[in-house]
Amino acid sequence: MIDPVSASRIQFALTTIVHIVFPVVSMGLAPFLIYFTWKEIRTGEAIYEQLRRFWTRIFAVSFVVGTVTGIVLEFEFGTNFAAFSTAAGELFGGPLAVEGMMAFMLEATFLGVFVFGRERVGNALYMVSAVAVGLGTWLSAVWILIANSWMQTPRGFELVTENGQPIVTLVDPIAAYANPRFPWMFVHMQNAAVESVALFMAGLGAYFVFRHYVWEYPVENVRFWEATLKFGLLALLITAPLQVVHGDLYARHVFVTQPQKFAAMEAVWETSSYVPEYVVAFPTSLGDLLDPRAKEIFGIGIPGGASWLASGGDPQATIQGLEEFEGPQPPVALVFWAFRLMVALGFWFVLLAVWGGYRWWRGELREDDLLQKALMLSAPLGIVAVELGWIVTEVGRQPWVIQDVLKTADGVSSGLTAAEATTTLVGFAVVYLALLALYAYVVARIVRAGPPAVTDARDRTVTAVTEASADD
Amino acid sequence: MTDPATLAGEPLFGLPLPDVWFGLLFFIFATFLFLDGFDFGVGALFAGREDEADRERLLAAIGPFWDGNEVWLVVFGGAMFAAFPSVYANLFSRHYLLMFAILGALILRGLAPEMYEQRHDETWQRWWGRAFVVGSVTAPFFLGLFVANWLLGATTIVTLPGVVVGLAVVALTVVDGVAFLRVKTRGELRENLRSTGYRALAAYLALIVATLGYVYVAVPALRPRLFAAPVAALVLATLALAGVYAAATRADRYYVAFGAAAGLVFALVGVVAGLLYPVVDPVTGLTVEDAIVSTLPLNLMTVAAAVLLPLVVVYFVVLYSAFSGPIEPGETY
């Protein structure tokens, strides 16, 4: 049996790690679906209908699995983190309720029209439903991140004691909900979602293009996959550089507002200036494995790099060390490595975008085998980077569930028994991993089935038009 | 934007907001139980349909709707979290395993139709068909059990009245599902469902009578509220609505029967709310006034709900009118 606190933490971590995959796909696909629908209605070209229908199938499956995994998360606050829910309900419940009413409702109702209604409703309402679904997915992120950003940099509240329990009461809603962390989280998250989908599209397109031209294994819809590859690359060219730029600004904000998290990201134990940025770092003794920068390390560091990044240009800047903070520390190694891997992936995506963009510009997109292989292998890495980013965000602020206000361990339901918590943990581990496998299987089937055959509104011969539109 | 300083003082427009939110909470729950109820009912009826074309029609009937319907449960959770955070925390952590049973059933129910349509071989569809039925029957059963335990202040998972209420809710979702399918289908399927509807209605009434009898005999604390005007009126309304449902079903007045089914769900949830009020959680004894959040967030939530809930109604009108009438041949999930 695992103790209720640990079991609840593992369970919440597991359910969020699995759940986040599906909203990322929904949010990332939304702008593409709006664009494809608009072009389909405007031009009547078959390729856009194929793109819209193919990616809508993936969107619909992601939405279903996202819904069933997301409902669990909402209720886990009540079941496993009752003390947190009681203490913070005044500030935290509101955004969740508004998310349901404002965003989730919009998305779920119009998704019905968008998925099932092409033959039932006119073009105008169909376009409205595409925009409404997209808007719904993005507004969901707004409200969830408003709630989360308040936990990272809480303000606008007072702490009072009611019946011996600490209760957070709302005093200034604007300070609380227009939280300084929110814009950084939102921009970084939304851009990451689009970037992840762009990588997936580019990788998937590259696979079929490669199969067709290099393996000479004829692919029926190679024009469709070339279009997919190009849309993916185009979106990657826009999102990948942006992600690095505001990622850096976001890290500076963390340095100012959550110094303990920043120290964990850089594994700085003693307060010092001119802190190097370690690219890799290993302890020599296995006993120090949880501390990547323990004494006698092997490491490659850029002198003054961490200070330079934290302060935005001053290599002499002082970084507070973890030793300055009382009580337990976040698991430093996990945060340190998750951060490094995420940043490395971010730069890799920029390289891929530039490389692919250059080949495309030169008209050599089909010819570069190495690029195709790199794109294929990178298809799932956007999602991996998102997961790593959330590990930095959520594990990095431990032991706090609300930074400097409430510890995670104090937020767990008091009546919960080890048996109950362990039962549901094991149950959810099995169910969620099965869901993930099932999702991968279904997406693979949709991909194998390929785009649906459509007849063009303007030209009965589908292939002629798709070829023409993919060449321009 | 209203100034936060004024919002912190008095309840908005002098309204009795704690009571309003108590009512709103049960209204949201009833809406969920009515709307997702017919999805559950369709899932239960799926078990009795061997014909592949019939099964496809059942899935096509709920296809565009169930996502939106289920969001009402999310809104219920969110609204309870926002308005009565301590009740939300106490109630759900106390019914820990039951909550996870509900969530597990909803996962199965939500996933199954989507998966069913992904492959068209027999084994795959047989198993996802079963998953759809199991999820659709267990979700309302566990929900009924949960609500009964909540109302009666039970702290164990399985209680006799809880099981009876669970079965009653399952029967009610079948009544609801039949009414919905009779609007959405034609021909033989529609005709065959009529007798299923009568039987489910009879079962529902018998189970509800048993529950009310139990409450009268075994829970003296609730006895006066049982005979208070609102609850008594709703019980009588249930009988009247059952009569309307039966007559309308007989006369093929499909929309009237569907409306009566909605009324039955709202009456049931109304009875639960009436028996509870003014307490929100009998185990802790917390009343509406004790458990409500402080004035500022309550006022903000009220403004948000007053703006957003009418919009939600508009979305549902758009959705249901886009897919109104019987499903056309060729429409699939």
Side-chain angles (χ1 to χ4, degrees), chain A residues 84-107:
Chain A
F84 162 77
S85 300
T86 307
E90 265 209 35
L91 272 109
F92 196 80
L96 288 197
V98 174
E99 191 256 348
M101 289 188 283
M102 183 192 271
F104 200 17
M105 279 291 187
L106 184 67
E107 184 183 0

Side-chain angles (χ1 to χ4, degrees), chain A residues 211-229:
Chain A
R211 205 170 137 103
H212 188 84
Y213 292 107
V214 180
W215 289 340
E216 296 182 342
Y217 189 97
V219 172
E220 204 182 327
N221 292 294
V222 71
R223 296 290 176 190
F224 171 86
W225 295 114
E226 265 185 294
T228 301
L229 168 60

Side-chain angles (χ1 to χ4, degrees), chain A residues 11 57 63 74-75 78-80 82 86 90 97 101 105-106 108-109 112 116 120 171 416 424 428 435 441-442 445, chain B residues 63-64 67 72 74 77-78 88-89 92-93 96 100 111 115 118-119 294 296-297 312 315-316 319 322 324 331 333:
Chain A
Q11 181 175 311
R57 288 193 70 187
F63 181 81
E74 186 193 28
F75 286 98
T79 53
N80 292 69
T86 307
E90 265 209 35
M101 289 188 283
M105 279 291 187
L106 184 67
T109 47
F116 298 97
R120 283 251 188 185
V171 267
L416 194 58
T424 58
F428 272 92
L435 277 174
Y441 170 75
V442 168
R445 275 188 64 91
Chain B
D67 275 329
W72 286 94
V74 178
Y88 173 85
F92 292 157
S93 60
Y96 188 80
F100 283 104
L111 213 55
M115 290 300 143
Q118 292 294 334
R119 270 176 63 170
S294 53
L296 175 60
V312 169
Y315 308 157
F316 273 78
L319 176 68
S324 62
E331 275 188 302
Y333 185 80

Side-chain angles (χ1 to χ4, degrees), chain B residues 117-176:
Chain B
E117 291 298 328
Q118 292 294 334
R119 270 176 63 170
H120 288 269
D121 62 273
E122 206 190 319
T123 316
W124 177 269
Q125 292 206 326
R126 188 167 61 239
W127 282 99
W128 280 112
R130 282 175 190 163
F132 183 41
V133 174
V134 170
S136 300
V137 173
T138 53
F141 175 75
F142 289 136
L143 277 164
L145 186 57
F146 169 74
V147 171
N149 286 353
W150 175 8
L151 173 64
L152 299 172
T155 48
T156 50
I157 299 176
V158 184
T159 55
L160 180 65
V163 170
V164 176
V165 174
L167 292 173
V169 174
V170 173
L172 184 57
T173 60
V174 174
V175 171
D176 197 3

Side-chain angles (χ1 to χ4, degrees), chain B residues 54-210:
Chain B
D54 276 359
R55 291 191 147 204
E56 290 290 342
R57 280 206 283 171
L58 257 50
L59 290 178
I62 61 164
F65 306 121
W66 80 263
D67 275 329
N69 295 345
E70 201 157 295
V71 177
W72 286 94
L73 181 67
V74 178
V75 173
F76 168 73
M80 191 186 227
F81 198 171
F84 303 103
S86 57
V87 177
Y88 173 85
N90 275 316
L91 197 60
F92 292 157
S93 60
R94 193 162 64 231
H95 294 110
Y96 188 80
L97 293 175
L98 190 50
M99 282 311 298
F100 283 104
I102 293 170
L103 296 171
L106 288 175
I107 288 178
L108 216 52
R109 209 297 311 250
L111 213 55
E114 187 68 36
M115 290 300 143
Y116 186 90
E117 291 298 328
Q118 292 294 334
R119 270 176 63 170
H120 288 269
D121 62 273
E122 206 190 319
T123 316
W124 177 269
Q125 292 206 326
R126 188 167 61 239
W127 282 99
W128 280 112
R130 282 175 190 163
F132 183 41
V133 174
V134 170
S136 300
V137 173
T138 53
F141 175 75
F142 289 136
L143 277 164
L145 186 57
F146 169 74
V147 171
N149 286 353
W150 175 8
L151 173 64
L152 299 172
T155 48
T156 50
I157 299 176
V158 184
T159 55
L160 180 65
V163 170
V164 176
V165 174
L167 292 173
V169 174
V170 173
L172 184 57
T173 60
V174 174
V175 171
D176 197 3
V178 165
F180 175 72
L181 283 176
R182 280 175 56 80
V183 171
K184 294 297 291 178
T185 60
R186 294 193 167 106
E188 210 180 319
L189 180 59
R190 180 189 256 178
E191 291 307 310
N192 289 343
L193 286 168
R194 189 187 280 133
S195 58
T196 314
Y198 294 145
R199 283 201 294 273
L201 182 65
Y204 172 68
L205 291 176
L207 290 161
I208 283 302
V209 168

Side-chain angles (χ1 to χ4, degrees), chain A residues 202-203 205-211 213-215 226 229 233 348 351-377:
Chain A
Y207 170 75
F208 285 102
V209 170
F210 192 76
R211 205 170 137 103
Y213 292 107
V214 180
W215 289 340
E226 265 185 294
L229 168 60
L233 264 183
W348 166 242
L351 182 70
L352 264 185
V354 172
W355 181 7
Y358 173 73
R359 287 296 189 184
W360 187 1
W361 177 60
R362 294 279 305 257
E364 299 164 350
L365 208 47
R366 287 178 200 164
E367 278 79 41
D368 191 336
D369 293 0
L370 195 60
L371 172 68
Q372 309 287 350
K373 285 179 192 164
L375 286 172
M376 280 184 246
L377 291 174

Side-chain angles (χ1 to χ4, degrees), chain A residues 142-161:
Chain A
V142 167
W143 288 99
I144 296 300
L145 293 178
I146 280 177
N148 190 285
S149 63
W150 178 78
M151 295 160 89
Q152 308 284 343
T153 49
R155 55 192 65 197
F157 69 96
E158 257 169 27
L159 200 60
V160 296
T161 307

